[in-house]
Amino acid sequence: MRAPPRLPAGLLLLLAPLFAGAAAQAQVRAVDLYAPRPFGYTIGDTIELSAEIALDAPFRLDPASLPRPRALSYWLDLRDVRLDDRGVADGVQRYTLHLAYQTFYAPLEPKRLDLPALPLTAADGGRRIELSVPSWSFLMSPLREIVASAGGTTMALRPDMAPPRIATAGTLRHLGVALIGALLALLLLAWHLGWGPLGRRRTRPFARAARAVTAELAPSTSSPPAYGRALVALHRAFDATAGAGVFAEDLPGFFAAHPAFAPVEGEVRRLFAASRRLFFGEDPAAAARELAPEDVLALARRLRAVERGSA
Amino acid sequence: MRTERLLLLALLLLLVASLGAAGWFGLRLVQDRLANADIAALASGRDIPVDADARPALLLARLSFLATRDRFEEAQPLVNRIMATGDTPIVATALYDLANARLRAALSHLEINEIDPAVPLVRLAKEGYRRALGLDPGLWDAKYNLDIAMRLVRDFPQIETSGEDLPPEAAKRLWTDLPGVPQGLP
């Protein structure tokens, strides 16, 4: 855009009154009102209008000149005013002004009413121009007849709205979900720790071994053969964990593959030594000296704990 | 066995979290049920004191109880408390119910030609309906009753002419409530 030629300040002052009107016209390109249907409104209805405002570019709407939401008259409220700045294009600054009114007029017959024009101000830093969103008229309709025709009285009020109950369905559903979650967590935990019947899982050989050892070494049934069976149960668990038979000379490989068992390495070596005495040396007394039945029991429980990660 | 340990921790966390949630929702359910029992009792006509910080629905039930018994001085603070909760549907219902009660009281005053006490009641009822409609413009019952309240002002002169001995200053005070022109007249 070409800048307007500068005039001497004095001349401008002289000419200002002459040009003021024309200048304002030139700087306000358009104010277009977009309105809903102009009829069929009843008391308490809201009416939403929007106005497209186009100004010459340096001019901007003065936000302070926008009306504030308030009661405009005894029957008309301005509920909401929202200005969308749609930016400058081709030297034209565009705005969309959204207006929401609410009418509380109680007509006896269809009646035409006016939404008043809204004055706005635009400025480009120094100069100020006035523009206005045009007024708009609409028809309001009555809600009730003037004289009751169907027997009833015109003064019969609509009934009260009953106080609502607090909705509990959502809370109940959430409670159900939480309880199911807790049950699921408990089941998974039982599975993971090998509680109860879930202790017989194939992937928990030491849990099974611990049950077997506990059963074999119970004080009432304890005997040399039972001690042997307890050791065998533990060896089966080692075999199942390693996926192959584990002998004393395989232990370094076993601990390398399963580092979690490292803390119990000393006891495990004693277990294998005891087994060697019992099964190959045929010397139960020496075996029991190497690893007493209570120690076997304790070792079985420690191995189970290591296996399920709770050691 | 590192993953085993992580799994154990995750499961314990899940258990604790879901038990906590279950406890919280259970507590809320019990509170809701108790509040609903109070609401039902108030609706059936038993007066139950309600805490200032009670649920909006419970406050509304008490408001409704007071309003239907014309105890407006006790009901008005409840409206303010309900409005402070910001629960829009409940606030609109509260404003509507209180306005209804006031309008009903005004109508019963008018039936026996007591115009003086009726005027402020009608004015407050109108105000209530307007605020309810401001919150929810789709409240048709509020529109209808506001229309009645609006025309009631115009109905006063008819009662005055048909009534017996009305002090002239009562009629004068009645008209001071009109904002310039009779509302709704063409």
Side-chain angles (χ1 to χ4, degrees), chain B residues 20-101:
Chain B
W24 195 72
F25 284 121
L27 191 70
R28 261 195 45 189
L29 195 65
V30 169
Q31 286 174 340
D32 286 358
R33 290 263 161 88
L34 286 176
N36 276 344
D38 284 355
I39 291 172
L42 282 164
S44 69
R46 265 196 302 132
D47 193 6
I48 288 174
V50 168
D51 289 340
D53 55 350
R55 315 286 197 76
L58 188 52
L59 289 172
L60 173 61
R62 167 99 173 135
L63 170 83
S64 175
F65 174 88
L66 292 173
T68 48
R69 282 155 186 79
D70 289 358
R71 289 155 71 175
F72 302 127
E73 287 76 17
E74 293 167 77
Q76 187 58 50
L78 281 176
V79 172
N80 301 339
R81 269 190 253 145
I82 293 172
M83 287 173 84
T85 65
D87 187 336
T88 311
I90 299 270
V91 177
T93 309
L95 288 167
Y96 171 77
D97 282 355
L98 185 57
N100 262 6

Coordinates of all heavy atoms in Angstrom, one line a residue, chain B residues 20-101:
Chain B
G20 N -6.6 -49.3 47.8 CA -6.9 -47.9 48.1 C -8.0 -47.4 47.4 O -8.9 -46.7 48.0
A21 N -8.1 -47.6 46.1 CA -9.2 -47.1 45.3 C -10.5 -47.7 45.7 O -11.5 -47.0 45.9 CB -8.9 -47.4 43.8
A22 N -10.5 -49.0 46.0 CA -11.7 -49.6 46.5 C -12.2 -49.0 47.8 O -13.4 -48.7 47.9 CB -11.5 -51.1 46.6
G23 N -11.3 -48.7 48.7 CA -11.6 -48.1 49.9 C -12.2 -46.7 49.7 O -13.3 -46.4 50.3
W24 N -11.6 -46.0 48.8 CA -12.1 -44.6 48.6 C -13.5 -44.6 48.0 O -14.4 -43.9 48.4 CB -11.1 -43.9 47.7 CG -11.3 -42.4 47.7 CD1 -11.0 -41.5 48.7 CD2 -11.8 -41.6 46.6 NE1 -11.3 -40.3 48.3 CE2 -11.8 -40.3 47.1 CE3 -12.3 -41.9 45.4 CZ2 -12.3 -39.3 46.3 CZ3 -12.8 -40.9 44.6 CH2 -12.8 -39.6 45.0
F25 N -13.6 -45.4 46.9 CA -15.0 -45.5 46.3 C -16.0 -46.0 47.2 O -17.2 -45.6 47.2 CB -14.9 -46.3 45.0 CG -14.2 -45.6 43.9 CD1 -13.1 -46.1 43.3 CD2 -14.7 -44.4 43.4 CE1 -12.5 -45.4 42.2 CE2 -14.1 -43.7 42.4 CZ -13.0 -44.2 41.8
G26 N -15.6 -47.0 48.1 CA -16.5 -47.6 49.0 C -17.0 -46.5 50.0 O -18.2 -46.4 50.3
L27 N -16.0 -45.7 50.5 CA -16.4 -44.6 51.4 C -17.3 -43.6 50.7 O -18.3 -43.2 51.3 CB -15.1 -43.9 51.8 CG -15.2 -42.9 53.0 CD1 -15.5 -43.7 54.3 CD2 -14.0 -42.1 53.1
R28 N -17.0 -43.3 49.5 CA -17.9 -42.3 48.8 C -19.3 -42.9 48.6 O -20.3 -42.2 48.7 CB -17.3 -42.0 47.4 CG -16.5 -40.7 47.4 CD -16.2 -40.1 46.1 NE -17.3 -40.2 45.1 CZ -17.2 -39.8 43.9 NH1 -16.0 -39.5 43.4 NH2 -18.2 -39.9 43.0
L29 N -19.3 -44.2 48.3 CA -20.6 -44.8 48.1 C -21.5 -44.7 49.3 O -22.6 -44.4 49.3 CB -20.4 -46.3 47.6 CG -21.6 -47.0 47.1 CD1 -22.0 -46.3 45.7 CD2 -21.3 -48.5 46.9
V30 N -20.8 -45.0 50.5 CA -21.5 -45.0 51.8 C -22.0 -43.5 52.0 O -23.2 -43.3 52.4 CB -20.6 -45.4 52.9 CG1 -21.2 -45.1 54.2 CG2 -20.4 -46.9 52.8
Q31 N -21.1 -42.6 51.8 CA -21.5 -41.2 52.0 C -22.7 -40.8 51.1 O -23.6 -40.1 51.5 CB -20.3 -40.2 51.7 CG -19.3 -40.3 52.8 CD -18.1 -39.5 52.4 OE1 -17.8 -39.2 51.2 NE2 -17.3 -39.1 53.4
D32 N -22.6 -41.2 49.8 CA -23.7 -40.9 48.8 C -25.0 -41.5 49.3 O -26.0 -40.9 49.2 CB -23.3 -41.4 47.4 CG -22.3 -40.6 46.8 OD1 -21.8 -39.6 47.4 OD2 -21.8 -40.9 45.6
R33 N -24.9 -42.8 49.7 CA -26.1 -43.4 50.2 C -26.8 -42.7 51.4 O -28.0 -42.5 51.4 CB -25.8 -44.9 50.5 CG -25.5 -45.8 49.4 CD -26.7 -46.5 48.9 NE -26.5 -47.0 47.5 CZ -26.0 -48.2 47.2 NH1 -25.5 -49.0 48.1 NH2 -25.9 -48.6 45.9
L34 N -25.9 -42.3 52.3 CA -26.4 -41.6 53.5 C -27.0 -40.3 53.1 O -28.1 -39.9 53.6 CB -25.2 -41.3 54.5 CG -24.7 -42.5 55.2 CD1 -23.5 -42.2 56.1 CD2 -25.9 -43.1 56.1
A35 N -26.4 -39.5 52.2 CA -26.9 -38.2 51.7 C -28.2 -38.5 51.0 O -29.2 -37.7 51.2 CB -25.9 -37.6 50.8
N36 N -28.3 -39.6 50.2 CA -29.6 -39.9 49.5 C -30.7 -40.2 50.5 O -31.9 -39.8 50.3 CB -29.4 -41.0 48.5 CG -28.8 -40.5 47.2 OD1 -28.9 -39.3 46.9 ND2 -28.3 -41.4 46.4
A37 N -30.3 -40.9 51.6 CA -31.3 -41.2 52.6 C -31.9 -39.9 53.2 O -33.1 -39.7 53.4 CB -30.7 -42.1 53.7
D38 N -30.9 -38.9 53.5 CA -31.3 -37.6 54.0 C -32.2 -36.9 53.0 O -33.2 -36.3 53.4 CB -30.1 -36.8 54.3 CG -29.4 -37.2 55.6 OD1 -30.0 -38.1 56.3 OD2 -28.3 -36.7 56.0
I39 N -31.8 -36.9 51.8 CA -32.7 -36.2 50.7 C -34.1 -36.8 50.7 O -35.1 -36.1 50.7 CB -32.0 -36.4 49.4 CG1 -30.7 -35.6 49.3 CG2 -32.9 -35.9 48.2 CD1 -29.9 -35.8 48.1
A40 N -34.1 -38.2 50.8 CA -35.4 -38.8 50.8 C -36.3 -38.4 52.0 O -37.5 -38.1 51.9 CB -35.3 -40.3 50.7
A41 N -35.6 -38.3 53.2 CA -36.3 -38.0 54.4 C -36.8 -36.5 54.3 O -38.0 -36.3 54.7 CB -35.3 -38.1 55.6
L42 N -36.0 -35.6 53.8 CA -36.4 -34.2 53.6 C -37.6 -34.2 52.6 O -38.6 -33.4 52.9 CB -35.3 -33.4 53.1 CG -34.2 -33.0 54.2 CD1 -33.0 -32.5 53.6 CD2 -34.8 -31.9 55.1
A43 N -37.5 -34.9 51.6 CA -38.6 -34.9 50.6 C -39.9 -35.4 51.2 O -41.0 -35.0 50.8 CB -38.2 -35.7 49.3
S44 N -39.8 -36.4 52.1 CA -41.0 -36.9 52.7 C -41.5 -36.1 53.9 O -42.4 -36.4 54.5 CB -40.7 -38.4 53.2 OG -39.9 -38.4 54.3
G45 N -40.8 -35.0 54.2 CA -41.3 -34.0 55.1 C -40.7 -34.1 56.5 O -41.2 -33.4 57.4
R46 N -39.6 -34.9 56.7 CA -38.9 -34.8 58.0 C -37.8 -33.8 57.9 O -37.0 -33.9 57.0 CB -38.4 -36.2 58.3 CG -39.3 -37.1 59.2 CD -38.6 -38.2 59.8 NE -38.0 -39.1 58.7 CZ -36.8 -39.5 58.8 NH1 -36.0 -39.2 59.8 NH2 -36.3 -40.3 57.8
D47 N -37.8 -32.9 58.9 CA -36.7 -31.9 58.9 C -35.4 -32.5 59.4 O -35.4 -33.0 60.5 CB -37.1 -30.7 59.7 CG -36.2 -29.5 59.4 OD1 -35.4 -29.6 58.5 OD2 -36.4 -28.5 60.1
I48 N -34.4 -32.4 58.6 CA -33.1 -32.9 59.1 C -32.1 -31.8 58.9 O -32.0 -31.1 57.9 CB -32.7 -34.1 58.1 CG1 -33.5 -35.3 58.4 CG2 -31.2 -34.4 58.3 CD1 -33.3 -36.4 57.5
P49 N -31.3 -31.5 60.0 CA -30.3 -30.4 59.9 C -29.3 -30.8 58.9 O -28.9 -32.0 58.8 CB -29.8 -30.3 61.3 CG -30.1 -31.5 61.9 CD -31.3 -32.1 61.3
V50 N -28.8 -29.8 58.1 CA -27.8 -30.1 57.0 C -26.6 -29.2 57.3 O -26.8 -28.0 57.6 CB -28.4 -29.8 55.7 CG1 -27.4 -29.8 54.6 CG2 -29.5 -30.9 55.3
D51 N -25.4 -29.8 57.2 CA -24.2 -29.1 57.4 C -24.0 -28.0 56.3 O -24.5 -28.2 55.2 CB -23.0 -30.0 57.4 CG -22.9 -30.9 58.6 OD1 -23.6 -30.5 59.6 OD2 -22.2 -31.9 58.5
A52 N -23.3 -26.9 56.7 CA -23.1 -25.8 55.8 C -22.3 -26.3 54.5 O -22.5 -25.8 53.4 CB -22.4 -24.7 56.4
D53 N -21.4 -27.3 54.8 CA -20.5 -27.8 53.7 C -21.0 -29.1 53.1 O -20.3 -29.8 52.5 CB -19.1 -27.9 54.2 CG -19.0 -28.8 55.4 OD1 -20.1 -29.2 55.9 OD2 -17.9 -29.2 55.7
A54 N -22.3 -29.3 53.2 CA -22.9 -30.6 52.6 C -22.9 -30.5 51.1 O -22.6 -29.5 50.5 CB -24.3 -30.8 53.2
R55 N -23.3 -31.7 50.5 CA -23.3 -31.7 49.0 C -24.4 -30.7 48.5 O -25.4 -30.5 49.2 CB -23.7 -33.1 48.6 CG -23.0 -34.2 49.2 CD -21.6 -34.3 48.7 NE -21.1 -35.6 49.0 CZ -21.4 -36.7 48.4 NH1 -22.2 -36.7 47.4 NH2 -20.9 -37.8 48.7
P56 N -24.2 -30.2 47.3 CA -25.2 -29.3 46.8 C -26.6 -30.0 46.7 O -27.6 -29.3 46.9 CB -24.7 -29.0 45.4 CG -23.4 -29.6 45.2 CD -23.0 -30.3 46.5
A57 N -26.6 -31.3 46.3 CA -27.9 -31.9 46.2 C -28.7 -32.0 47.6 O -29.9 -31.8 47.6 CB -27.8 -33.4 45.7
L58 N -27.9 -32.2 48.6 CA -28.5 -32.3 50.0 C -28.9 -30.9 50.4 O -30.0 -30.7 51.0 CB -27.5 -32.8 50.9 CG -27.9 -33.2 52.4 CD1 -29.2 -34.1 52.3 CD2 -26.8 -33.9 53.1
L59 N -28.1 -29.9 50.1 CA -28.5 -28.5 50.4 C -29.8 -28.1 49.7 O -30.7 -27.5 50.2 CB -27.4 -27.5 50.0 CG -26.1 -27.5 50.8 CD1 -25.0 -26.7 50.2 CD2 -26.4 -27.0 52.2
L60 N -29.9 -28.6 48.4 CA -31.1 -28.3 47.6 C -32.3 -29.0 48.3 O -33.4 -28.4 48.3 CB -30.9 -28.8 46.2 CG -32.1 -28.7 45.3 CD1 -32.6 -27.3 45.2 CD2 -31.8 -29.3 43.9
A61 N -32.1 -30.2 48.7 CA -33.3 -30.9 49.4 C -33.8 -30.1 50.6 O -35.0 -30.0 50.8 CB -32.9 -32.3 49.7
R62 N -32.8 -29.6 51.4 CA -33.2 -28.9 52.6 C -33.9 -27.5 52.2 O -34.8 -27.1 52.7 CB -31.9 -28.6 53.4 CG -32.1 -27.6 54.5 CD -32.3 -28.2 55.8 NE -32.3 -27.2 56.9 CZ -33.2 -27.1 57.8 NH1 -34.1 -28.0 57.9 NH2 -33.1 -26.2 58.7
L63 N -33.3 -26.9 51.1 CA -33.9 -25.7 50.6 C -35.3 -25.9 50.2 O -36.2 -25.1 50.5 CB -33.0 -25.2 49.4 CG -33.6 -24.0 48.7 CD1 -33.3 -22.7 49.3 CD2 -33.1 -24.0 47.2
S64 N -35.5 -27.0 49.5 CA -36.8 -27.3 49.0 C -37.8 -27.5 50.1 O -38.9 -27.0 50.1 CB -36.7 -28.5 48.1 OG -38.0 -28.9 47.7
F65 N -37.3 -28.2 51.2 CA -38.1 -28.4 52.4 C -38.5 -27.1 53.0 O -39.7 -26.9 53.3 CB -37.3 -29.3 53.4 CG -38.0 -29.5 54.7 CD1 -38.8 -30.5 54.9 CD2 -37.7 -28.6 55.7 CE1 -39.4 -30.7 56.1 CE2 -38.4 -28.7 57.0 CZ -39.2 -29.8 57.1
L66 N -37.5 -26.2 53.2 CA -37.8 -24.9 53.8 C -38.7 -24.0 52.9 O -39.7 -23.4 53.4 CB -36.5 -24.2 54.1 CG -35.6 -24.8 55.1 CD1 -34.3 -24.0 55.2 CD2 -36.3 -24.8 56.5
A67 N -38.5 -24.1 51.6 CA -39.2 -23.2 50.7 C -40.7 -23.6 50.7 O -41.6 -22.7 50.7 CB -38.6 -23.2 49.3
T68 N -40.9 -24.9 50.6 CA -42.3 -25.3 50.5 C -43.1 -25.0 51.8 O -44.3 -25.1 51.9 CB -42.5 -26.8 50.2 OG1 -41.6 -27.5 51.1 CG2 -42.1 -27.0 48.7
R69 N -42.3 -24.7 52.9 CA -43.0 -24.3 54.2 C -42.9 -22.8 54.4 O -43.0 -22.4 55.6 CB -42.4 -25.1 55.3 CG -42.9 -26.5 55.3 CD -41.9 -27.5 55.9 NE -42.4 -28.9 55.8 CZ -42.3 -29.6 54.7 NH1 -41.7 -29.1 53.6 NH2 -42.8 -30.8 54.6
D70 N -42.6 -22.0 53.4 CA -42.6 -20.6 53.5 C -41.5 -20.1 54.4 O -41.7 -19.0 55.0 CB -43.9 -20.0 53.8 CG -44.9 -20.2 52.7 OD1 -44.5 -20.7 51.6 OD2 -46.1 -19.8 52.8
R71 N -40.5 -20.8 54.7 CA -39.4 -20.4 55.6 C -38.3 -19.7 54.8 O -37.2 -20.2 54.7 CB -38.9 -21.5 56.5 CG -39.9 -21.9 57.5 CD -39.7 -23.4 57.9 NE -38.5 -23.5 58.8 CZ -38.2 -24.7 59.3 NH1 -39.0 -25.7 59.2 NH2 -37.1 -24.8 60.0
F72 N -38.7 -18.6 54.1 CA -37.7 -18.0 53.2 C -36.5 -17.4 53.8 O -35.4 -17.5 53.2 CB -38.5 -16.9 52.4 CG -39.7 -17.4 51.7 CD1 -40.9 -16.7 51.9 CD2 -39.6 -18.4 50.8 CE1 -42.0 -17.2 51.2 CE2 -40.8 -18.9 50.2 CZ -42.0 -18.3 50.4
E73 N -36.6 -16.9 55.0 CA -35.4 -16.3 55.7 C -34.3 -17.4 55.9 O -33.1 -17.1 55.8 CB -35.7 -15.7 57.0 CG -36.5 -14.4 56.9 CD -38.0 -14.6 56.5 OE1 -38.4 -15.8 56.7 OE2 -38.6 -13.7 56.1
E74 N -34.7 -18.6 56.2 CA -33.8 -19.7 56.4 C -33.3 -20.3 55.0 O -32.2 -20.8 54.9 CB -34.4 -20.8 57.2 CG -34.7 -20.5 58.6 CD -35.6 -21.5 59.3 OE1 -35.1 -22.6 59.6 OE2 -36.8 -21.3 59.4
A75 N -34.2 -20.1 54.0 CA -33.8 -20.7 52.7 C -32.8 -19.9 51.9 O -32.0 -20.4 51.2 CB -35.1 -20.9 51.9
Q76 N -32.9 -18.6 52.1 CA -32.0 -17.7 51.2 C -30.5 -18.0 51.5 O -29.8 -18.1 50.5 CB -32.4 -16.2 51.5 CG -31.6 -15.3 50.6 CD -31.9 -15.5 49.1 OE1 -33.1 -15.7 48.7 NE2 -30.9 -15.7 48.3
P77 N -30.1 -18.1 52.7 CA -28.6 -18.4 52.9 C -28.2 -19.8 52.2 O -27.1 -19.9 51.7 CB -28.4 -18.6 54.4 CG -29.6 -18.0 55.0 CD -30.7 -18.0 54.0
L78 N -29.2 -20.7 52.1 CA -28.9 -22.0 51.5 C -28.6 -21.8 50.0 O -27.7 -22.4 49.4 CB -30.0 -23.0 51.7 CG -30.1 -23.7 53.0 CD1 -31.3 -24.5 53.1 CD2 -28.9 -24.5 53.2
V79 N -29.4 -20.9 49.4 CA -29.2 -20.6 48.0 C -27.8 -20.1 47.7 O -27.1 -20.5 46.8 CB -30.2 -19.6 47.5 CG1 -29.9 -19.1 46.0 CG2 -31.6 -20.1 47.5
N80 N -27.4 -19.2 48.6 CA -26.0 -18.6 48.5 C -25.0 -19.7 48.6 O -24.0 -19.7 47.8 CB -25.8 -17.5 49.5 CG -26.8 -16.4 49.4 OD1 -27.4 -16.2 48.3 ND2 -27.0 -15.7 50.4
R81 N -25.2 -20.6 49.5 CA -24.2 -21.7 49.7 C -24.2 -22.6 48.5 O -23.2 -23.1 48.0 CB -24.5 -22.5 50.9 CG -23.8 -22.0 52.1 CD -23.9 -22.9 53.3 NE -24.8 -22.4 54.3 CZ -25.7 -23.1 55.0 NH1 -25.7 -24.4 54.9 NH2 -26.4 -22.6 55.9
I82 N -25.4 -22.9 47.9 CA -25.5 -23.8 46.7 C -24.8 -23.1 45.6 O -24.1 -23.7 44.8 CB -27.0 -24.1 46.4 CG1 -27.6 -25.0 47.5 CG2 -27.1 -24.8 45.1 CD1 -29.1 -25.2 47.4
M83 N -25.0 -21.7 45.5 CA -24.3 -21.0 44.4 C -22.8 -21.1 44.5 O -22.1 -21.2 43.5 CB -24.8 -19.6 44.3 CG -26.2 -19.5 43.8 SD -26.9 -17.8 43.9 CE -26.2 -17.1 42.4
A84 N -22.4 -21.1 45.8 CA -20.9 -21.2 46.0 C -20.3 -22.5 45.5 O -19.1 -22.6 45.2 CB -20.6 -20.9 47.4
T85 N -21.1 -23.6 45.4 CA -20.6 -24.8 45.0 C -20.4 -24.9 43.5 O -19.6 -25.7 43.0 CB -21.6 -26.0 45.3 OG1 -22.8 -25.8 44.6 CG2 -21.9 -26.0 46.8
G86 N -21.1 -24.0 42.7 CA -20.9 -23.9 41.3 C -21.5 -25.0 40.5 O -21.1 -25.2 39.3
D87 N -22.4 -25.8 41.1 CA -23.0 -26.9 40.4 C -24.2 -26.4 39.6 O -25.3 -26.3 40.2 CB -23.4 -28.0 41.4 CG -23.9 -29.3 40.8 OD1 -24.4 -29.2 39.6 OD2 -23.9 -30.3 41.4
T88 N -24.0 -26.0 38.4 CA -25.0 -25.2 37.6 C -26.4 -25.8 37.6 O -27.4 -25.1 37.9 CB -24.5 -25.0 36.2 OG1 -23.2 -24.5 36.3 CG2 -25.4 -23.9 35.5
P89 N -26.6 -27.1 37.3 CA -28.0 -27.6 37.3 C -28.7 -27.5 38.6 O -29.9 -27.1 38.8 CB -27.9 -29.0 36.9 CG -26.5 -29.2 36.3 CD -25.7 -28.1 36.9
I90 N -27.9 -27.8 39.7 CA -28.5 -27.7 41.1 C -28.8 -26.2 41.4 O -29.8 -25.9 42.0 CB -27.5 -28.3 42.1 CG1 -27.2 -29.8 41.7 CG2 -28.0 -28.1 43.5 CD1 -28.1 -30.7 42.4
V91 N -27.9 -25.3 41.1 CA -28.1 -23.9 41.4 C -29.4 -23.4 40.7 O -30.3 -22.8 41.3 CB -26.9 -23.0 40.9 CG1 -27.2 -21.6 41.2 CG2 -25.7 -23.4 41.7
A92 N -29.6 -23.8 39.4 CA -30.7 -23.4 38.6 C -32.0 -23.9 39.3 O -33.0 -23.2 39.4 CB -30.6 -23.8 37.2
T93 N -31.9 -25.2 39.7 CA -33.1 -25.8 40.3 C -33.4 -25.1 41.6 O -34.6 -24.9 41.9 CB -32.8 -27.3 40.6 OG1 -32.4 -27.9 39.4 CG2 -34.1 -28.0 41.1
A94 N -32.4 -24.8 42.4 CA -32.6 -24.1 43.7 C -33.3 -22.8 43.5 O -34.2 -22.4 44.2 CB -31.2 -23.9 44.4
L95 N -32.7 -22.0 42.5 CA -33.3 -20.7 42.2 C -34.8 -20.8 41.8 O -35.7 -20.1 42.2 CB -32.5 -20.0 41.2 CG -31.1 -19.5 41.6 CD1 -30.3 -19.1 40.4 CD2 -31.2 -18.3 42.5
Y96 N -35.0 -21.8 40.9 CA -36.4 -22.0 40.4 C -37.3 -22.4 41.6 O -38.4 -21.8 41.7 CB -36.4 -23.1 39.3 CG -37.7 -23.5 38.9 CD1 -38.5 -22.7 38.0 CD2 -38.2 -24.7 39.3 CE1 -39.7 -23.1 37.6 CE2 -39.5 -25.2 38.9 CZ -40.2 -24.4 38.1 OH -41.5 -24.8 37.7
D97 N -36.9 -23.4 42.4 CA -37.8 -23.8 43.4 C -38.1 -22.7 44.4 O -39.3 -22.6 44.9 CB -37.2 -25.0 44.1 CG -37.3 -26.3 43.3 OD1 -38.0 -26.3 42.3 OD2 -36.8 -27.4 43.7
L98 N -37.1 -21.9 44.8 CA -37.3 -20.9 45.8 C -38.2 -19.8 45.2 O -39.1 -19.3 45.8 CB -36.0 -20.3 46.2 CG -36.1 -19.2 47.3 CD1 -36.8 -19.8 48.5 CD2 -34.7 -18.7 47.7
A99 N -38.0 -19.5 43.9 CA -38.9 -18.5 43.2 C -40.3 -19.0 43.2 O -41.3 -18.2 43.4 CB -38.3 -18.2 41.8
N100 N -40.5 -20.3 42.9 CA -41.8 -20.9 42.8 C -42.5 -20.7 44.2 O -43.7 -20.3 44.3 CB -41.7 -22.4 42.5 CG -41.9 -22.7 41.1 OD1 -42.1 -21.7 40.3 ND2 -42.0 -23.9 40.7
A101 N -41.7 -21.0 45.3 CA -42.3 -21.0 46.6 C -42.7 -19.5 46.9 O -43.8 -19.3 47.5 CB -41.3 -21.5 47.6

